[in-house]
């Protein structure tokens, strides 16, 4: 277990990945120390898996003192849900699942015309935060994902409606995070704000972190829509004019099956993926998310309403 | 199934960056419309950091908005001005963080707003910066907001300042016009002490953000300028100024304790190891400055106890030595009373504790500060009640001298005396950038009222007066 001793001539400077890792662990520990009931949003997607891994490191050798929450759209990839439950069991943490399906069946939410359920996650999320009396919510959002996210603080204050007010964010000075809030408000905490997609993959490679298999190249029945490969599934069937074919693909993000697209890829191992992401000419969301194509400010609008 | 955390990760090779291949953080500053966002967009574009779909989106939006008239073109500011309101008003409202890398190093850039109303956001971007790029419109020269931002940069002791004299294309690349602006910049930075008090260096570059002169490549249109391009400079500036030539941290070791790790049986290690961690107790935190080795003697405040470091843990990896900014857990030989808010430091390096201090405050809240205000202050991991007993002066942005003042209004940089409710080892910011910085927080609504910088600790609290009972604030 003992690392080789560092010689005194070594420069005392951390590599990029280690700076980001220590920054994230610092944020996670601050939030756990200052808040009563933090919760971590865990979908089984790569970013939330990385945040969970960092939380495990932050509290080693103790268990992660944070509960997990997943907002299940009902359109998730089954292999991701299986991975989610396996990972939760391995860490010995408690997971609450809030289901969009329940809201649709009793009429609190209506299915959208385009069939996309991503924007429907906000209400169950806010209800779950209120029901769990959570005063801090960890998310795996990164600033490099989207231009609205690029504006978000690491600790981001939300009012009782979960709203984000981008015109009036609290200043965030040095690494002194101010988590003070009033009753009804809560804070969203983003420990990997400063990580890029490539940082995340390099970290997954270095730490040998397990991910759902669909992040790696595999064969799948797909059809072309909106310039993306969509999986054939009961919730995302092809239309009559769309041809189904079997292709070797992988997913760069894992969300709702109804709006997440796959990309052509032969990257079957984490090393292949690191290489692929390093030379990619399209952003992660641009390549894979239909919901962000609705309008130029789709993410900003969802965030203002309380989305993560 | 038990979680095992991979321990191969943190070998010495992995932890220590080779050469300068590490993270460099910089922020933009300067008055509204001087071209910060355009410059940042140009820098990203010309260093090939913009991916195809992003470029397509901003090209589309630029055309829709008729940018550049008939000749068209891309409004590079749209790469960072991502909010609806920003695009409608054509200004930056809050900091946008962007990431790019060149073969030399990786960058985190914070594009800050110039509008006075959003100065608090510029301060946000500047506090974590290794360098600030100060934009000046060559036609307008140094403005009041330029002086305000430069004062913030001086106050924060940002290690490097790059003054980009922008829109040089609109002056037909005239050397005389550039030299005039350069001279006035040098006057202001000298006045503020930037680049002269042993911290910071000032570089001045003529650029056109719109056209791209001297941004990534040196421009042929400015033959009279023989310095580096902006990117060349960013790639070669040293990362932090608190290290000596061999890269060793020169500041003393400080670990503000975030929490005490005491799993008491609720462990994540393999079951066969669980017993050996039954009595595990370690102090978790991020090294704020300096470095520490197993076997070193440390002292702890509050309490003034001393002990020896018996172990440094990084999630299952046993380290011999740790240094800033690593997040670690420290094990000590003695069972001292240490909780969140304590500081573990290299022995005999902590200043004596005090209950008073003098500080520079950057006032960020629209509600003015009245002397006698009861506030909360956050130093490292310590949060406590405090009283701003006196406002002693305010920076006059025209003369750059200190004028008498009794209150501070939003965007004022002032001087104040502060009384603490508990003993604290207070350090000057000039001595330790992490320990000497603090937040001033509204005790009721939690707003961050000011960024604080310690200029002088007060009289030491008499040793042994036993009055450690201040009012601690639970978070
Ligand atoms: N001719 C010319 N115009 C420029 C140059 N740089 C910026 N501009 C223009 O100046 C205007 C303001 O540019 P921005 O980049 O938005 O300025 P800013 O400093 O980011 O403004 P705020 O963030 O709101 O403070 C825009 O119309 C730009 O196109 C330049 O080098 N030459
Ligand atoms: Mg701007």
């Amino acid at each position: 277990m003992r690392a080789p001793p560092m010689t005194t001539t070594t420069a005392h400077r951390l590599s990029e990945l280690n700076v980001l890792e220590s920054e994230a662990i610092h944020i996670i520990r601050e939030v756990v120390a200052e808040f009563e009931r933090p919760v971590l949003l865990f979908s089984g997607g790569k970013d939330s898996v990385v945040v969970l891994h960092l939380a495990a490191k932050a509290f080693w050798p103790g268990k992660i003192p944070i509960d997990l929450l997943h907002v299940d759209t009902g359109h998730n990839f089954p292999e991701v849900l299986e991975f989610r439950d396996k990972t939760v069991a391995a860490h010995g943490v408690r997971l609450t699942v809030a289901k969009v399906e329940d809201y649709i069946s009793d009429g609190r939410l209506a299915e959208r015309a385009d069939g996309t359920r991503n924007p429907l996650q906000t209400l169950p999320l806010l209800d779950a935060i209120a029901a769990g009396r959570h005063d801090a919510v960890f998310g795996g959002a990164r600033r490099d994902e989207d231009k609205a996210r690029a504006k978000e603080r690491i600790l981001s204050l939300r009012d009782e409606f979960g709203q984000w007010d981008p015109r009036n964010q609290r200043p965030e000075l040095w690494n002194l995070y101010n988590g003070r809030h009033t009753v009804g408000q809560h804070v969203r905490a983003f420990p990997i704000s400063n990580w890029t997609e490539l940082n995340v993959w390099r970290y997954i490679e270095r730490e040998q972190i397990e991910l759902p298999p669909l992040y790696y190249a595999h064969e799948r029945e797909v059809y072309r829509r909106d310039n993306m490969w969509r999986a054939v599934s009961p919730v995302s069937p092809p239309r009559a004019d769309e041809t189904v074919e079997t292709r070797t693909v992988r997913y760069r993000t894992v969300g709702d099956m109804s709006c997440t697209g796959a990309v052509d890829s032969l990257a079957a191992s984490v090393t292949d993926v690191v290489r692929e992401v390093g030379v990619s000419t399209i952003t992660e969301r641009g390549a894979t998310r239909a919901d962000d194509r609705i309008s130029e400010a789709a993410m900003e609008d969802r965030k203002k309403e309380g989305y993560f | 199934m038990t979680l095992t955390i991979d321990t191969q990760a943190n070998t010495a090779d992995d932890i220590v960056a080779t050469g300068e291949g590490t993270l460099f953080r910089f922020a933009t500053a300067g008055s509204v419309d001087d071209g910060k966002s355009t410059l940042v967009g140009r820098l990203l574009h010309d260093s090939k950091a913009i991916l195809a779909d992003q470029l397509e989106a901003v090209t589309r939006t630029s055309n829709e908005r008729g940018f550049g008239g008939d000749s068209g073109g891309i409004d590079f500011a749209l790469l960072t001005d991502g909010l609806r309101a920003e695009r409608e008003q054509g200004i930056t409202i809050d900091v946008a963080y962007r990431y790019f890398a060149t073969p030399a190093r990786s960058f985190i850039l914070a594009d800050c707003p110039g509008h006075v109303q959003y100065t608090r956001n510029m301060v946000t971007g500047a506090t974590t910066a290794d360098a600030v790029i100060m934009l000046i419109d060559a036609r307008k020269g140094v403005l009041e907001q330029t002086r305000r931002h430069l004062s913030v940069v001086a106050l924060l002791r940002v290690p490097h300042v790059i003054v980009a004299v922008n829109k040089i294309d609109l002056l037909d690349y005239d050397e005389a016009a550039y030299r005039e602006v350069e001279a006035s910049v040098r006057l202001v930075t000298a006045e503020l002490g930037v680049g002269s008090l042993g911290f910071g260096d000032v570089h001045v570059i003529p650029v056109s953000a719109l056209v791209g002169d001297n941004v990534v490549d040196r421009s042929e249109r400015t033959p009279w300028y023989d310095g580096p391009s902006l990117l060349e400079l960013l790639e070669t500036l040293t990362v932090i100024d608190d290290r000596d030539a061999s890269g060793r941290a020169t500041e003393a070791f400080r670990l503000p304790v975030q929490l005490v790790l005491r799993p008491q049986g609720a462990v994540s290690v393999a079951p066969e190891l669980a017993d050996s961690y039954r009595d595990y107790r370690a102090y978790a935190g991020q090294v704020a400055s300096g470095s520490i080795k197993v076997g070193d003697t440390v002292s702890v405040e509050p309490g003034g106890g001393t002990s020896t470091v018996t172990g440094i843990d990084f999630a299952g990896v046993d380290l011999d030595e740790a240094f800033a900014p690593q997040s670690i857990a420290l094990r000590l030989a003695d069972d001292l009373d240490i909780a969140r808010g304590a500081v573990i430091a290299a022995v005999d390096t902590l200043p004596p504790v005090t209950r008073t201090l003098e500080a520079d405050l950057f006032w960020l809240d629209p509600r003015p500060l009245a002397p006698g205000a009861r506030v909360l202050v956050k130093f490292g991991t310590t949060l406590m009640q405090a009283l701003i007993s006196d406002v002693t002066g305010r920076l006059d942005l025209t003369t750059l001298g200190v004028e008498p003042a009794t209150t501070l209004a939003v965007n004022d940089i002032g001087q104040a005396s502060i009384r603490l409710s508990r003993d604290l080892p207070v350090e000057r910011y000039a001595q330790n950038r992490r320990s000497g910085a603090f937040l001033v927080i509204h005790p009721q609504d939690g707003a961050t009222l000011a960024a604080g910088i310690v200029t002088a600790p007060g009289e030491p609290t008499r040793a042994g007066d036993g009055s450690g009972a201040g009012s601690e604030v639970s978070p």
Side-chain angles (χ1 to χ4, degrees):
Chain A
M1 296 264 278
R2 187 159 271 266
M6 281 182 256
T7 57
T8 43
T9 50
T10 314
H12 280 189
R13 198 156 277 158
L14 288 181
S15 72
E16 176 179 355
L17 220 42
N18 284 306
V19 169
L20 294 171
E21 180 186 50
S22 277
E23 177 181 275
I25 290 174
H26 174 252
I27 295 161
I28 293 168
R29 286 170 170 171
E30 275 305 275
V31 171
V32 167
E34 291 213 337
F35 291 81
E36 305 272 325
R37 298 174 65 85
V39 69
L40 192 156
L41 295 176
F42 186 73
S43 63
K46 68 178 188 312
D47 300 314
S48 65
V49 172
V50 165
V51 174
L52 189 68
H53 181 87
L54 290 162
K57 284 196 152 190
F59 300 102
W60 181 95
K63 285 207 155 85
I64 300 171
I66 311 169
D67 286 346
L68 270 43
L69 172 66
H70 182 214
V71 182
D72 184 350
T73 59
H75 288 175
N76 285 318
F77 291 92
E79 57 266 56
V80 176
L81 294 184
E82 193 184 309
F83 172 84
R84 176 197 73 187
D85 294 338
K86 195 178 83 176
T87 308
V88 165
H91 284 273
V93 282
R94 189 168 52 209
L95 170 77
T96 305
V97 179
K99 295 196 159 126
V100 172
E101 197 71 57
D102 295 346
Y103 282 71
I104 292 176
S105 52
D106 67 13
R108 279 175 290 172
L109 283 174
E111 195 87 72
R112 293 162 51 101
D114 61 7
T116 300
R117 284 189 176 178
N118 248 14
L120 301 184
Q121 292 178 80
T122 303
L123 182 64
L125 171 68
L126 294 178
D127 283 351
I129 291 171
R133 289 180 289 116
H134 297 300
D135 48 2
V137 182
F138 284 105
R142 309 189 321 266
R143 287 167 171 162
D144 83 326
E145 283 180 82
D146 173 272
K147 56 191 177 311
R149 289 214 160 137
K151 299 266 164 182
E152 178 102 60
R153 297 282 189 260
I154 287 173
L155 233 63
S156 178
L157 198 63
R158 301 302 168 99
D159 68 10
E160 57 187 314
F161 302 101
Q163 298 181 106
W164 178 56
D165 182 0
R167 304 193 60 139
N168 200 16
Q169 298 195 81
R170 188 177 270 179
E172 197 158 76
L173 310 163
W174 299 285
N175 62 351
L176 297 172
Y177 302 105
N178 174 8
R180 306 283 297 180
H181 57 280
T182 54
V183 178
Q185 290 180 329
H186 72 269
V187 160
R188 301 278 170 95
F190 303 108
I192 59 167
S193 284
N194 284 327
W195 298 43
T196 62
E197 183 187 15
L198 189 57
N199 291 142
V200 167
W201 277 106
R202 289 211 168 116
Y203 192 68
I204 288 167
E205 179 182 38
R206 185 184 92 175
E207 304 279 308
Q208 300 173 6
I209 299 172
E210 201 192 331
L211 289 184
L214 45 65
Y215 277 110
Y216 302 105
H218 58 285
E219 286 201 339
R220 192 177 281 267
E221 290 212 299
V222 292
Y223 57 92
R224 198 77 180 154
R225 185 185 293 173
D226 299 334
N227 262 324
M228 289 187 277
W229 294 113
R230 300 293 194 85
V232 176
S233 82
V235 300
S236 53
R239 289 190 290 255
D241 60 336
E242 290 168 330
T243 350
V244 173
E245 51 186 301
T246 303
R247 299 186 72 89
T248 305
V249 295
R250 71 173 201 89
Y251 285 85
R252 280 176 78 177
T253 67
V254 162
D256 202 297
M257 280 174 100
S258 63
C259 70
T260 308
V263 295
D264 281 317
S265 171
L266 296 176
S269 71
V270 63
T271 313
D272 296 342
V273 174
V274 167
R275 204 174 304 129
E276 186 187 279
V277 170
V279 298
S280 172
T281 57
I282 303 183
T283 61
E284 172 182 303
R285 291 209 153 242
T288 60
R289 286 299 179 91
D291 52 335
D292 288 339
R293 298 188 178 177
I294 296 169
S295 84
E296 264 287 281
M299 175 66 88
E300 177 182 344
D301 294 342
R302 285 208 305 278
K303 281 175 65 63
K304 282 178 177 164
E305 289 162 12
Y307 186 81
F308 32 85
Chain B
M1 184 175 153
T2 308
L3 174 84
T4 47
I5 291 172
D6 170 44
T7 52
Q8 306 155 27
N10 289 277
T11 61
D13 254 7
D14 232 352
I15 288 174
V16 180
T18 44
E20 292 291 308
T22 182
L23 268 183
F24 190 82
R25 303 181 198 232
F26 68 94
T28 60
S31 191
V32 67
D33 275 352
D34 282 358
K36 298 175 288 298
S37 302
T38 308
L39 182 73
V40 154
R42 168 59 74 179
L43 186 63
L44 291 167
H45 177 264
D46 289 4
S47 57
K48 314 265 181 295
I50 304 300
L51 299 184
D53 56 319
Q54 291 174 320
L55 193 62
E56 200 186 295
V58 299
T59 308
R60 200 179 332 112
T61 311
S62 301
N63 293 341
E64 279 164 18
R65 292 168 175 261
F67 182 81
D70 291 339
S71 52
I74 299 171
D75 182 358
F76 284 116
L78 294 174
L79 284 165
T80 52
D81 288 343
L83 298 174
R84 223 181 253 286
E86 292 178 325
R87 293 180 166 202
E88 278 159 15
Q89 295 169 44
I91 61 162
T92 306
I93 291 173
D94 210 332
V95 190
Y97 294 90
R98 295 289 309 227
Y99 305 82
F100 72 107
T102 66
R105 57 168 57 146
S106 297
F107 297 94
I108 299 182
L109 88 78
D111 181 32
C112 298
H115 197 289
V116 198
Q117 195 184 334
Y118 304 115
T119 306
R120 62 177 190 277
N121 298 334
M122 175 271 171
V123 180
T124 291
T127 50
T128 50
D130 298 309
V132 161
I133 306 177
M134 181 67 57
L135 273 279
I136 295 181
D137 184 330
R139 299 167 304 171
K140 299 186 197 153
V142 175
L143 303 173
E144 172 172 307
Q145 186 68 345
T146 320
R147 284 195 292 268
R148 180 177 283 115
H149 281 183
L150 274 172
S151 306
V152 170
V153 166
L155 200 72
L156 295 173
R157 302 174 80 86
V158 175
H160 310 282
V161 180
I162 304 171
V163 178
V165 179
N166 189 31
K167 309 198 186 182
I168 198 82
D169 56 303
L170 295 178
L171 294 176
D172 293 327
Y173 303 94
D174 178 34
E175 176 176 11
Y178 166 74
R179 295 288 173 213
E180 202 178 305
V181 178
E182 184 188 19
S184 63
V185 168
R186 298 268 181 209
L187 268 179
V188 177
T189 53
E191 192 79 38
L192 287 167
V194 180
S196 67
L197 298 176
F199 71 94
D201 42 34
V202 183
H203 306 261
V204 188
I205 310 185
V207 302
S208 166
L210 195 70
V211 183
D213 299 291
N214 296 324
V215 178
V216 166
D217 299 313
R218 298 186 194 192
S219 172
E220 285 165 8
R221 287 179 286 257
T222 53
W224 38 265
Y225 170 75
D226 58 5
S229 74
L230 178 62
L231 183 64
E232 285 174 72
L233 201 51
L234 289 169
E235 287 183 326
T236 48
L237 292 173
T238 53
V239 174
I240 298 184
D241 59 351
D242 55 1
R243 293 167 204 261
D244 63 19
S246 68
R248 292 207 138 246
T250 51
E251 291 177 338
F253 173 72
R254 300 280 181 269
L255 183 82
V257 176
Q258 292 186 277
L259 32 81
V260 183
L261 296 176
R262 274 179 72 219
Q264 295 181 301
V267 290
S268 61
V269 295
E272 62 274 17
L273 293 176
D275 260 355
S276 49
Y277 288 99
R278 197 156 299 283
D279 298 320
Y280 183 88
R281 182 189 185 92
Y283 307 101
Q286 184 174 28
V287 181
S289 58
S291 62
I292 190 82
K293 279 197 173 83
V294 173
D296 284 355
T297 312
V298 290
S299 51
V300 183
E301 281 297 343
T306 60
S307 188
T308 309
V309 176
T310 53
I312 305 170
D313 291 326
F314 188 93
V317 182
D318 219 342
L319 300 176
D320 287 323
E321 185 174 16
F323 51 91
Q326 277 181 302
S327 280
I328 55 164
L330 215 57
R331 283 178 276 127
L332 300 182
D334 306 275
D335 207 357
L336 301 177
D337 178 17
I338 301 175
R340 175 173 171 81
V343 178
I344 302 178
V347 71
D348 293 336
T349 60
L350 277 180
V353 295
T354 178
R355 293 267 182 118
T356 55
L357 60 96
E358 300 295 316
D360 285 338
L361 295 182
F362 192 93
W363 201 254
L364 303 163
D365 198 82
R367 296 165 287 190
L369 163 69
R374 288 177 185 281
V375 294
L376 299 174
V377 289
K378 187 175 187 183
F379 279 88
T381 55
T382 304
L383 185 70
M384 70 164 92
Q385 296 187 7
L387 194 122
I388 302 185
S389 42
D390 213 1
V391 173
T392 52
R394 175 173 50 206
L395 188 71
D396 179 332
L397 287 173
T398 316
T399 64
L400 296 178
V402 177
E403 56 178 15
T406 51
T407 68
L408 293 180
V410 65
N411 299 335
D412 276 348
I413 297 172
Q415 303 173 334
S417 310
I418 297 180
R419 272 202 348 248
L420 303 173
S421 59
R422 273 188 290 145
D423 289 350
L424 190 78
V426 173
E427 301 194 72
R428 286 173 45 220
Y429 185 82
Q431 217 130 60
N432 192 310
R433 295 213 300 161
R434 285 294 166 214
S435 316
F438 63 98
L439 305 183
V440 180
I441 298 171
H442 193 284
Q444 273 85 48
D445 65 19
T448 299
L449 300 172
I453 276 162
V454 177
T455 50
E459 284 294 304
T461 314
R462 232 173 311 116
D465 71 355
S467 67
S471 39
E472 187 155 355
V473 179
S474 62

